[in-house]
Structure formats: C-alpha cells, structure tokens
Amino acid sequence: MPDPEVGKPGVTAKLPPVPDFALPATTDGSHSVKELHVRGHKLLDQDVTVKGVITWAYDCATAVRNEGESDKDVQARIDDDPTICQRAKFYIGDSADIPPEKSLWVVDVPRPYNKKEIANIKKEQRTDPLKCEPNEDPKKNICPPYKVGDQVEITGKFSLSSPHGDANSDGVLIYEKLKNVTENWPPEGWAPPPPPAEGSGAAGGPPPAGSKPSPEDLVKHKP
C-alpha cells in the first residue's frame, strides 16, 4: 500500500499581498473618489466636495466621428443635429493613472449653447442654468474649463442617478461647481450662478426609460 500523501514539513505557502484598503485622509472636509466608492452609501443624496484628477472626458466629435471624417464634416453634422451628442460629463480619479471604470462619473456639467439653440432662442431667454454663451466673459461664464489630466475640486450631490437619466451603481456626482486647480479657474471676481428655480428640471428623480449608456460603457466598447 502506498504511503498517504502529506505535505512536506517546513514548506510555507506564498500568499498574494493584502490589498491596501486605507482611504486617503483629508483635513478640509473633502472626500476622495476611493472613499465614495467604499463608503458612499453613507453620503448618498448629500452635497459633497471631491478632489481628484480628470481621467476621461466626453467629447461629442470624438464619439460620433465616422472613419475618415474631417473635423469640419463632423462639426457640420453636430450643428445640424446636436441631439447626436450626449450631455457633457467627465470622470475623476484619485490620481491620473486611475482607469475610467474605477473613477467617479461627474454629470450635468454646464456646456455652451449649440448653434441651433443660439439661432432659435433669443439671448435674453437663454437662461438655462446648465448652459452658457460661447466665448463668454470668464467672470460670467458658468461653463468650466476642463481636460484629461487637470486637478480639480468638484462640489455636487452624490447620488445613484441624475435628473437627466445618467445612472451608476457606484454613484454619480451631480455637478454644482468646480475649481480647476491646474487652470487656476474660476478667476478672481467670479460668482456662482443662482440655483435653478423650482420646477426647472434640476430636481432629482429616477432615470427615465431608455437612458443613454454610461461613459464606462463607451470606454469599454470604444472601437
């Protein structure tokens, strides 16, 4: 009868390193992206300030461009039918090397009025709190400058869904204001716009049926 198999004495199994679950500490009341992903359920539907680096930003021309299409042609298509574009949004992470799928999705970011809106809406009636005039005075402009790699501080409501249908099980940050440390924006003398009037569509609520895919989906399925 063969001897039973037994482990050799003195052999130590090599285990993988224990993941680092420590959360970045802050002293100013702000939060890290990692903290919101780990403990975010305690902060749902609350206003928070998050510091991080932009890791991905939605660009309509890049998203809808056909193979071989020139900048002029893709812009002409956007001008003709701006509904092919999604709402302005971006991702932030605790560092520049964080992949988009592990970053925090920032939604309802202000954007300039498009060409059709300018043609069809009188200037005195262009008062949407999430839109600004193209090439507006920086001291009046509510549209923040931002690009991948910028260090930012963003204040907004942390929620599972936005008023306009963007939803993510890890939470989204509904934009209220931004400080771009890299671009030194907003400029001195800038004041945030007044909050939108009740009933203007800025209130929270469940996402409507048929809401558009998240930036994470776009990144994963990018051709």
Side-chain angles (χ1 to χ4, degrees):
M1 178 179 295
D3 295 333
E5 294 185 3
V6 294
K8 294 181 180 181
V11 176
T12 302
K14 187 176 182 181
L15 301 176
V18 177
D20 180 13
F21 294 106
L23 299 176
T26 62
T27 58
D28 57 2
S30 65
H31 302 272
S32 67
V33 172
K34 186 175 183 179
E35 179 187 359
L36 292 183
H37 283 166
V38 174
R39 301 176 182 164
H41 63 283
K42 297 181 179 180
L43 297 169
L44 281 174
D45 299 320
Q46 297 183 37
D47 285 341
V48 298
T49 296
V50 185
K51 294 183 177 181
V53 179
I54 295 180
T55 59
W56 183 88
Y58 176 74
D59 177 70
C60 181
T62 300
V64 305
R65 187 188 301 274
N66 295 321
E67 185 176 358
E69 191 172 24
S70 68
D71 291 346
K72 181 179 179 180
D73 288 342
V74 71
Q75 187 60 53
R77 282 202 300 118
I78 293 172
D79 290 342
D80 185 60
D81 181 13
T83 65
I84 64 177
C85 296
Q86 295 189 27
R87 293 181 177 275
K89 61 197 78 177
F90 56 82
Y91 271 129
I92 61 170
D94 289 324
S95 60
D97 58 350
I98 299 295
E101 60 269 18
K102 293 185 178 180
S103 302
L104 176 66
W105 184 10
V106 181
V107 299
D108 285 5
V109 180
R111 54 97 173 155
Y113 283 98
N114 60 51
K115 192 172 182 178
K116 279 201 168 183
E117 290 169 334
I118 292 174
N120 296 329
I121 307 173
K122 294 181 179 179
K123 187 170 183 178
E124 59 269 21
Q125 296 176 334
R126 297 200 291 264
T127 57
D128 191 317
L130 293 179
K131 298 175 186 175
C132 64
E133 297 293 328
N135 304 314
E136 192 168 32
D137 180 350
K139 290 186 178 181
K140 298 179 180 179
N141 200 346
I142 64 169
C143 297
Y146 61 89
K147 64 182 183 301
V148 173
D150 283 352
Q151 181 181 350
V152 294
E153 300 175 11
I154 307 170
T155 298
K157 179 177 287 187
F158 183 61
S159 182
L160 294 180
S161 63
S162 79
H164 296 104
D166 295 313
N168 191 305
S169 59
D170 287 330
V172 298
L173 188 64
I174 303 170
Y175 179 102
E176 290 180 10
K177 64 179 180 179
L178 174 147
K179 177 181 179 182
N180 190 320
V181 178
T182 302
E183 295 287 342
N184 193 27
W185 191 94
E188 185 177 355
W190 183 89
E198 186 176 350
S200 64
S211 57
K212 294 182 178 179
S214 72
E216 179 179 346
D217 294 331
L218 296 175
V219 171
K220 289 182 177 179
H221 295 91
K222 186 176 180 180

